[in-house]
């Protein structure tokens, strides 16, 4: 990557040429209300099951987003220059303007470009900006072009006059991600988030080149996901009428992510974390809402799907048959959960009546085998939490991706068993440590210090697909989620994209990271994301002086 | 306090009768933009120095706020009832409505009712709501009436139909604060907050019956306070043009607080924390912005007013002569700071050239004596940080209020020397512990556990005037300040109003506090304050089940 010090402005009527074809600029509404979009989406697609994604849609969306970002969501960078300094470039007749951006896609997209398995899509890109205003973004895939456009916008600032400029030309960037799975796990069960909250999160994720949004969509506390074949589930299991996700809403969210390179992955956590099913189907849940909950669960309410029950099997068949066909157009994965199963709950399970793992383990094996068979039959790849492999010692298909969360050792152990792994050690990348969910936030420095490959043998690093940061909702809701996640997740995004080590094999410098992260925070705020400040203006105005 | 279980509604045309006189309802704008208000304020008052406060204004403002709160900023309390339960009262022809609220003030307000010294105003009130809709608030002062109206609004909920009701009648409340000084210290120097941010904070403070807003208005990082006699101070010392507080803006803020029972107290911290003066008057500051800042200050940039300089004396005379007359209409206090003076900085002070406290201490005594004499001459009472008394062992006038912050011992030591004390141990009540300002937030439980009288001998408790919570701005700005302060400051508000111990002398139950605090959080959010959740809806829907 090289960047110079010449100034270039962008013409407000800048044209985008994609593989030689000028792209039609869409009229930009000031803000797109979710309802309006949703209606439009349903209108265009006829019904929620119809998948209408294309490389052209990815490109069009990326151009639309880049234009909106450059001209409507930009910021004057006064915080990054000495106080009362004259930091803005002079504007006069001799200014050079960018009038055209050339987008050159070198390969044809794979059919699953918006719902890849890890590694299916080449996300790399190169970006050059010449001092005469020539701009070219080259990539193998439409997603790579989109990443290039995102980077392009991040080189520009708003001028007090309203113009948009970059002080960094000539620019020559060649860029590619180190990890293929770069995600956020968002808990939309303990608290309900509006579709507008979720798509705001997708916008922020895409802007940070995350490519997965894992929705932890059901849990013990509420069941917001509407399942038309099992209507009582959400009707009784939601917190309140209206606090649910309908199939059309889900399709809108999935489609919104897909067209921005963010694959939406759904998780139905099981067999634990399912007590909200008891509001509609009490006969399926053991140990529901026991007063002495800490004996049966990590937090209230306790409850788990019965482990040896035909009724549960039938219920899950109905659930999967209804839900998975609506997942398939938008994702190649389905997450069956599997964390924190409490064996004591099965002492109250009339189909088991035991907490002896020798009895429980074969039942769990059968339970998970059935679930994963359904997932595969629907054309999807299963993901499961680490406990299924490492605590319960289940034999899982080699296709199953294991999401680790408890330690670095869990990653090493998972890949040593030949499984693909996702990282996200909760000591670094989870917003609330599980054993004390009222405990402090994890500072961005802790997140930045995390190496996904820590302790992984060199010959097995290819099995580490990437990782996810986690936002659980015990003390988070729509009012504060932006500031809980951002800008700290930017630190994880950088580790997942560029790796934890720099070119010299050293941990990346937190000193040089702090101004970068502060600028990213201002860019997020300009986009309507309520990201926290990590430094006061005195620090941002003085380089790295405060970052000792 | 007694509260029943009968339901009462409020008529939208409810009348307020104050001492027998019906109050004229003002037309309520949906929202009052700050600029519009400011223009109106300047128009009405002719110039910023004119003080136009009266008991009538306090009453009118309280009625206006109560009406707006009841009908425009209320909330449907679904989170506090079991899921899908029918918790709302039936509406029919036999509902009883409140049509009149009687406000009975029994004493004439003291002249300084809106700018009292601690103890000058009787803030107690009683509130009764009969099941037939009769409402009476009785208080000795207009401020007491305002508190009664605030409590009144907090008994009501919004009905899905849009009506407003209370399920708690009959109500019989007699209430009075334990501590006279209940404040928030807000750092508006490290980060600039718009006047709209500050008055939003005043609204939230008044709603929690805080009665002081201490503005830490200048510090090392920026000098946002415009001083017309020293115009370069803010012109050069602010972060950016426009990020300043003009005299008319300050008067607007002070007046806004005064009419809501929140006395705005200004602090010019000195002699440390003054390096922003060096941008305009470099000759007054020693050790300005030393690279090796940790030798000379607790955080960058280092710098301190010279300790034996006629130029500094003249500068401060000019500053005080300009500023203090604009404080006097709105406050009886002026805070001269005095925390964290670093003795090493004086080795670089050409008027001293020493870090020997034997040399520095008499100079500091003279420095503070001069400052406090100016404050007294302006008709104000000085406040100083604990270090001036306890670290520097200065002899201070008996009128000087000492603001402690480092320990409970500091409180005990201060009162044992016969001084009035403010509490606010930073291990409990400060948002960022000073030695590591990137460290975790203090959870509300820690704040709630703080006893202002801990370690204070029983015969000296009368000297503990109250205390303040602190919001420093190293990692806080307008985007996240609401979440940083609220609802945790509500816990401090309760301790300051009701004391840390219950009627049995036990620490107040955190279990019974959590639903109360969660409800208060929803009320704040309904008022446009971005307060954090402390629990998920599963917990609030189930009483104290999660609060173990």
């Amino acid at each position: 990557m090289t960047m110079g010090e010449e100034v270039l402005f962008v013409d407000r009527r800048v044209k985008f040429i994609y593989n030689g074809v000028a792209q039609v600029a869409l009229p930009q509404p000031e803000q797109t209300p979710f309802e309006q979009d949703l209606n439009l989406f349903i209108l265009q697609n006829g019904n929620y099951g119809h998948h209408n994604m294309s490389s052209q849609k990815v490109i069009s969306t990326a151009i639309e987003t880049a234009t909106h970002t450059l001209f409507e969501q930009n910021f004057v960078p006064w915080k990054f220059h000495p106080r009362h300094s004259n930091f803005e470039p002079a504007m006069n007749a001799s200014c050079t303007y960018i009038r055209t951006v050339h987008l050159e896609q070198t390969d044809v997209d794979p059919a699953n470009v918006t719902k890849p398995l890890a590694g299916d899509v080449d996300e790399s890109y190169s970006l050059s900006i010449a001092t005469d205003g020539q701009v070219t973004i080259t990539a193998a895939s439409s997603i790579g072009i989109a990443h290039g456009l995102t980077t392009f916008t991040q080189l520009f600032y708003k001028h007090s006059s309203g113009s948009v400029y970059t002080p960094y030309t000539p620019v020559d960037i060649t860029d590619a991600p180190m990890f293929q799975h770069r995600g956020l796990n968002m808990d939309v069960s303990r608290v309900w988030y509006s579709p507008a909250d979720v798509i705001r999160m997708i916008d922020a994720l895409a802007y940070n080149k995350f490519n997965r949004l894992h929705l932890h969509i059901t849990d013990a506390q509420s069941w917001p996901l509407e399942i038309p074949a099992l209507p009582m589930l959400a009707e009784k299991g939601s917190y309140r009428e209206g606090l649910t996700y309908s199939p059309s809403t889900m399709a809108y969210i999935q489609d919104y992510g897909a067209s921005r390179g963010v694959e939406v992955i759904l998780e139905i956590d099981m067999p634990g974390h399912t007590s909200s099913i008891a509001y509609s189907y009490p006969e399926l849940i053991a140990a529901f809402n026991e007063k002495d909950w800490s004996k049966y669960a990590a937090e209230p309410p306790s409850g788990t799907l019965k482990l040896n029950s035909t009724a549960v099997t039938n219920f899950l068949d109905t659930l999967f048959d209804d839900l998975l066909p609506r997942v398939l157009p938008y994702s190649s994965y389905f997450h069956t959960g599997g964390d924190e199963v409490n064996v004591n709950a099965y002492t109250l399970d009339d189909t088991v009546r035991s907490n002896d793992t020798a009895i429980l383990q074969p039942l769990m094996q059968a339970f998970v085998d059935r679930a994963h068979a359904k997932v595969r039959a629907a054309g999807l790849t299963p993901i499961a939490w680490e406990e299924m492999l490492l605590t319960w010692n289940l034999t899982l298909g080699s296709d199953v991706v294991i999401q680790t969360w408890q330690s670095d050792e869990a990653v090493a152990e998972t890949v040593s068993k030949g499984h693909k792994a996702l990282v996200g050690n909760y000591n670094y990348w989870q917003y609330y440590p599980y054993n004390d969910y009222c405990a402090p936030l994890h500072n961005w420095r802790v997140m930045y210090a995390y190496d996904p490959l820590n302790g992984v043998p060199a010959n097995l690093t290819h099995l580490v697909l990437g990782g996810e940061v986690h936002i659980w909702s015990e003390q988070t809701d729509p009012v504060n989620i932006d500031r809980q996640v951002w800008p700290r997740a930017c630190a994880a995004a950088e580790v997942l994209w560029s790796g934890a080590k720099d070119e010299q094999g050293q941990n990346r410098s937190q000193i040089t990271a702090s101004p970068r992260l502060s600028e990213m925070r201002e860019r997020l705020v300009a986009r309507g994301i309520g990201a926290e400040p990590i430094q006061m203006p005195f620090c941002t105005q003085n380089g790295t002086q405060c970052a000792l």
Side-chain angles (χ1 to χ4, degrees), chain A:
Chain A
M1 176 172 86
T2 64
M3 297 204 301
E5 288 185 3
E6 295 284 327
V7 175
L8 265 186
F9 288 81
V10 195
D11 192 308
R12 277 214 160 238
R13 295 151 301 175
V14 60
K15 289 201 178 69
F16 294 84
I17 316 280
Y18 171 53
N19 286 355
V21 180
Q23 303 295 294
V24 180
L26 297 171
Q28 277 293 319
E30 180 61 25
Q31 201 175 14
T32 316
F34 168 74
E35 290 77 12
Q36 185 184 314
D37 262 25
L38 180 55
N39 291 336
L40 193 66
F41 172 80
I42 294 170
L43 199 71
Q44 286 174 338
N45 291 274
N47 67 64
Y48 54 75
H50 182 63
H51 179 56
N52 188 27
M53 189 57 56
S54 70
S55 306
Q56 179 64 51
K57 189 166 172 185
V58 172
I59 297 291
S60 301
T61 304
I63 291 171
E64 197 179 306
T65 303
T67 308
H68 196 60
T69 302
L70 279 174
F71 297 113
E72 311 298 336
Q73 299 180 319
N74 217 325
F75 77 108
V76 175
W78 65 268
K79 285 188 190 172
F80 302 93
H81 296 277
R83 75 183 67 199
H84 301 290
S85 61
N86 188 11
F87 63 86
E88 295 193 311
M91 296 200 57
N92 53 48
S94 67
C95 292
T96 306
Y97 280 80
I98 295 168
R99 301 193 195 277
T100 310
V101 174
H102 291 273
L103 312 174
E104 304 291 348
Q105 189 178 334
T106 56
D107 292 0
V108 175
D109 278 343
N112 64 346
V113 65
T114 63
K115 44 168 267 188
L117 289 171
D120 282 352
V121 173
D122 180 348
E123 297 184 81
S124 68
Y125 67 90
S126 63
L127 162 65
S128 74
I129 310 176
T131 52
D132 66 355
Q134 287 290 319
V135 179
T136 306
I137 295 170
T138 308
S141 71
S142 59
I143 300 294
I145 298 281
H147 288 324
L149 278 166
T150 299
T151 299
F152 177 70
T153 65
Q154 289 166 353
L155 297 169
F156 288 84
Y157 302 100
K158 187 167 150 187
H159 192 282
S160 298
S161 68
S163 292
V164 169
Y165 70 96
T166 178
Y168 299 127
T169 58
V171 168
D172 200 354
I173 291 174
T174 306
D175 201 11
M178 170 169 280
F179 294 103
Q180 307 307 315
H181 184 118
R182 305 180 304 279
L184 171 80
N185 169 27
M186 179 174 175
D187 170 8
V188 297
S189 160
R190 289 187 178 82
V191 162
W192 187 82
Y193 294 85
S194 75
D197 294 323
V198 179
I199 67 171
R200 190 174 74 253
M201 185 62 80
I202 291 173
D203 278 330
L205 290 170
Y207 192 67
N208 283 276
K209 299 193 180 79
F210 279 101
N211 62 4
R212 303 287 188 268
L213 172 61
H214 162 184
L215 290 180
H216 182 85
I217 203 164
T218 62
D219 207 306
Q221 289 77 15
S222 93
W223 186 288
L225 183 65
E226 292 182 24
I227 303 293
L230 299 161
M232 301 306 281
L233 263 178
E235 230 173 283
K236 303 236 179 188
S238 62
Y239 278 133
R240 192 186 186 207
E241 193 184 338
L243 302 194
T244 59
Y245 300 106
S246 70
S248 61
T249 297
M250 286 310 303
Y252 180 85
I253 290 169
Q254 292 164 306
D255 183 81
Y256 191 93
S259 57
R260 283 156 184 82
V262 178
E263 181 177 351
V264 176
I265 297 173
L266 298 192
E267 176 193 359
I268 305 281
D269 200 353
M270 62 180 76
H273 290 279
T274 48
S275 13
S276 57
I277 295 172
Y279 294 104
S280 46
Y281 301 96
E283 67 279 11
L284 305 182
I285 300 296
F288 174 60
N289 205 10
E290 292 294 321
K291 274 206 166 165
D292 186 10
W293 57 261
S294 63
K295 200 171 156 189
Y296 302 103
E299 69 184 15
S302 61
T304 192
L305 279 170
K306 293 180 183 176
L307 208 52
N308 194 18
S309 156
T310 312
V312 167
T313 304
N314 294 341
F315 168 84
L316 289 176
D317 283 352
T318 308
L319 173 63
F320 284 136
D321 289 344
D322 182 302
L323 178 61
L324 298 184
R326 288 183 277 112
V327 170
L328 187 64
Y330 303 104
S331 179
S332 292
Y333 294 104
F334 186 79
H335 198 315
T336 57
D339 59 323
E340 297 186 319
V341 176
N342 185 309
V343 296
N344 291 325
Y346 296 114
T347 60
L348 305 181
D349 177 351
D350 55 11
T351 71
V352 181
R353 294 239 176 263
S354 171
N355 61 2
D356 179 349
T357 50
I359 293 171
L360 295 173
Q361 205 267 1
L363 295 171
M364 187 66 81
Q365 180 74 55
F367 180 93
V368 173
D369 282 347
R370 272 195 305 273
H372 285 182
K374 292 293 285 186
V375 171
R376 288 185 196 100
L380 300 165
T381 296
I383 306 178
W385 290 108
E386 65 172 61
E387 287 96 321
M388 292 293 99
L389 183 72
L390 305 179
T391 308
W392 287 81
N393 290 309
L394 300 190
T395 304
L396 299 174
S398 62
D399 57 338
V400 179
V401 176
I402 301 299
Q403 180 160 23
T404 65
W405 65 278
Q406 295 187 106
S407 65
D408 292 355
E409 290 69 31
V411 182
E413 208 181 327
T414 296
V415 298
S416 77
K417 288 170 181 268
H419 275 282
K420 293 173 186 141
L422 301 178
V423 308
N425 186 330
Y426 83 124
N427 295 296
Y428 295 87
W429 276 11
Q430 188 160 294
Y431 291 98
Y432 287 104
Y434 212 84
N435 288 322
D436 178 8
Y437 47 78
C438 298
L441 302 173
H442 280 160
N443 190 278
W444 72 270
R445 292 168 192 275
V446 177
M447 306 192 72
Y448 199 69
Y450 179 47
D451 186 348
L453 299 179
N454 191 26
V456 176
N459 65 329
L460 296 175
T461 56
H462 64 286
L463 289 173
V464 179
L465 302 182
E468 296 185 354
V469 291
H470 306 280
I471 181 66
W472 302 108
S473 295
E474 280 90 354
Q475 295 192 321
T476 300
D477 77 4
V479 172
N480 68 331
I481 187 167
D482 283 12
R483 81 108 164 168
Q484 301 280 65
V485 174
W486 307 107
R488 283 174 298 143
C490 303
E494 186 174 320
V495 169
L496 285 169
W497 183 275
S498 302
K501 310 280 191 200
D502 63 18
E503 284 158 17
Q504 283 74 47
Q506 301 298 310
N507 276 340
R508 290 180 183 280
S509 161
Q510 301 211 338
I511 289 174
T512 64
S514 60
R516 195 157 66 239
L517 190 57
S518 283
E519 180 171 320
M520 193 56 147
R521 184 264 175 168
E522 295 302 318
R523 291 190 181 277
L524 286 166
V525 170
R527 297 173 72 77
I529 311 296
E532 287 197 329
I534 63 157
Q535 294 181 312
M536 50 189 161
F538 176 82
C539 300
T540 59
Q541 287 188 327
N542 288 281
T544 57
Q545 183 171 345
C546 300
L548 301 184

